[in-house]
Amino acid sequence: MPDYDAELNAIGLPCPLPVLRIRKALQTLEGGQTLYVVATDPDSLKDVEAFTRITENELLEAREEESKYHFVIRKGMTPK
């Protein structure tokens, strides 16, 4: 598994908690650092995509594997 600057386990959290936890976790990172997230909420796929788009963070990876959703997000260089 690649090295990430931070990891977030959002397994079992219902919408909108995964995105809220992602927002909080990204606040602890510097611009350009990466966050790995795993979630089980089926809505997280579209929610995380929308969140990264409107916050100018970069969604590097989004995939579903064995009913889990895996994301890699790079924090944007400008504060949002």
Side-chain angles (χ1 to χ4, degrees):
M1 175 180 266
D3 233 357
Y4 305 107
D5 296 296
E7 294 184 16
L8 174 65
N9 180 342
I11 290 174
L13 298 179
C15 182
L17 290 177
V19 168
L20 295 176
R21 298 277 173 89
I22 289 168
R23 178 185 297 275
K24 187 173 183 178
L26 287 172
Q27 290 173 348
T28 68
L29 300 179
E30 299 292 325
Q33 289 187 310
T34 56
L35 174 66
Y36 169 75
V37 182
V38 61
T40 50
D41 178 21
D43 289 333
S44 64
L45 189 57
K46 67 177 176 55
D47 291 346
V48 171
E49 289 173 346
F51 168 78
T52 55
R53 188 174 53 254
I54 64 172
T55 60
E56 297 181 10
N57 294 296
E58 185 178 0
L59 183 58
L60 300 176
E61 181 179 337
R63 63 183 165 85
E64 180 184 358
E65 185 177 294
E66 298 177 5
S67 299
K68 292 181 184 158
Y69 301 89
H70 302 263
F71 306 98
V72 179
I73 302 165
R74 179 181 294 137
K75 182 173 181 172
M77 299 305 280
T78 56
K80 277 285 176 177

